[in-house]
């Protein structure tokens, strides 16, 4: 069974979500503060972490910062609806996605499955396993491994997904809607800045082309395009 870690100080809500997840076939562990949640996330026992922002002892942002120092475990942030500052900061620190609260257990399960579907290469179509090399970039989807000029890139699961989508369509603009659906596993919501933040993170981790430009270029009014020259 896939093991999910829920980190939220709202014990009643946490219990409700855990019950729904168990019915849906997940194994669930609970933590009710950021300190114990970060420690549990770093244990290596969980396939994905759902992390609330507002918590005692250590808030979700600081817990995420601690997790990302040594772990690439997928993380979904639970953020207050309309709280763009926490949302963007979480994505910049390496969260894979966010769910605005209050959310239904059904929506949370859908987000969890969308991320796990992309992480689990065993469920991907055969063509998605194919390695890819474009200029200095090399991708090995079966290993979830990306390299730039032979150096391993430290990418989150979502960053790898988005980079793969862009690289496989190199030279062609890819809309933000397509990036969201293929990389995050969900439609792009109105005013959603997730794709922009993830792409900004990718640009900071990738190397530059010979002329000093980023290989990921903005296509105004459309989305982004991976280029090689």
């Amino acid at each position: 069974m896939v093991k999910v870690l829920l980190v939220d100080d709202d014990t009643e809500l946490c219990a409700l979500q855990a019950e729904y997840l168990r019915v849906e076939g997940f194994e669930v562990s609970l933590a009710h503060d950021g300190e114990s949640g970060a420690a549990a996330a770093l244990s290596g026992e969980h396939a994905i972490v759902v992390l609330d922002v507002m918590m005692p002892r250590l808030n979700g942002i600081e817990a995420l910062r601690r997790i990302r120092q040594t772990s690439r475990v997928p993380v979904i942030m639970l953020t207050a609806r309309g709280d763009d500052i926490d949302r963007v900061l979480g994505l910049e620190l390496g969260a894979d996605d966010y769910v605005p609260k209050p959310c239904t257990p059904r929506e949370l399960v859908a987000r969890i499955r969308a991320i796990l579907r992309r992480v689990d290469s065993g469920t991907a179509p055969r063509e998605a396993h194919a390695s890819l090399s474009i200029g200095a970039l090399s991708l090995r989807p079966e290993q979830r491994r990306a390299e730039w000029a032979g150096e391993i890139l430290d990418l989150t699961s979502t960053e790898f997904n988005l980079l793969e989508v862009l690289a496989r369509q190199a030279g062609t603009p890819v809309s933000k809607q397509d990036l969201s659906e293929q990389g995050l596993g969900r439609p792009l919501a109105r005013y959603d800045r997730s794709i922009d933040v993830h792409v900004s993170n990718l640009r900071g981790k990738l190397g530059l082309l010979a002329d000093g430009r980023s290989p990921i270029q903005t296509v105004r009014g459309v989305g982004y395009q991976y280029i090689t020259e």
Side-chain angles (χ1 to χ4, degrees):
M1 296 175 68
V2 174
K3 195 166 185 178
V4 178
L5 173 63
L6 296 181
V7 188
D8 194 330
D9 65 324
D10 187 334
T11 56
E12 185 175 344
L13 177 62
C14 220
L16 176 66
Q17 292 171 334
E19 181 179 357
Y20 191 92
L21 282 165
R22 290 177 181 126
V23 170
E24 292 294 314
F26 295 96
E27 183 178 350
V28 184
S29 297
L30 304 178
H32 300 301
D33 65 79
E35 190 82 31
S36 60
L42 290 170
S43 70
E45 298 177 358
H46 305 92
I48 191 167
V49 178
V50 180
L51 183 64
D52 188 30
V53 170
M54 299 300 294
M55 287 186 297
R57 296 185 65 188
L58 191 70
N59 66 41
I61 296 297
E62 291 305 315
L64 175 63
R65 196 189 305 272
R66 185 175 297 184
I67 292 167
R68 280 294 176 254
Q69 287 177 354
T70 56
S71 174
R72 296 293 99 190
V73 62
V75 175
I76 296 176
M77 299 293 294
L78 295 177
T79 66
R81 193 173 297 276
D83 196 342
D84 289 337
I85 295 177
D86 282 343
R87 191 170 299 166
V88 171
L89 182 55
L91 293 172
E92 288 176 342
L93 290 174
D96 291 272
D97 203 357
Y98 69 87
V99 178
K101 294 176 70 175
C103 68
T104 64
R106 184 176 181 180
E107 179 183 3
L108 181 59
V109 167
R111 294 291 184 91
I112 289 172
R113 283 183 169 152
I115 290 179
L116 293 177
R117 191 180 305 120
R118 296 293 300 175
V119 172
D120 185 3
S121 60
T123 63
R126 178 177 296 275
E127 59 269 19
H129 290 319
S131 297
L132 178 67
S133 293
I134 303 178
L137 177 67
S138 295
L139 295 177
R140 295 176 175 81
E142 285 189 346
Q143 303 171 9
R144 305 290 292 176
R145 182 185 179 100
E147 297 179 3
W148 181 271
E151 297 292 325
I152 297 175
L153 298 174
D154 186 17
L155 304 180
T156 67
S157 172
T158 296
E159 288 167 357
F160 184 95
N161 295 344
L162 294 173
L163 180 58
E164 183 180 5
V165 172
L166 287 166
R168 290 197 182 280
Q169 301 181 62
T172 302
V174 182
S175 71
K176 293 181 183 180
Q177 181 66 254
D178 286 344
L179 284 170
S180 186
E181 291 178 352
Q182 296 177 49
L184 275 65
R186 62 173 174 83
L188 185 69
R190 191 176 185 185
Y191 305 122
D192 190 344
R193 296 178 58 194
S194 300
I195 296 300
D196 299 320
V197 178
H198 286 307
V199 168
S200 177
N201 290 343
L202 275 173
R203 283 171 168 164
K205 295 179 179 182
L206 289 170
L208 300 176
L209 301 176
D211 59 6
R213 291 182 299 164
S214 168
I216 302 179
Q217 292 291 302
T218 300
V219 181
R220 190 174 299 277
V222 179
Y224 297 98
Q225 178 177 353
Y226 192 93
I227 62 173
T228 57
E229 59 182 26

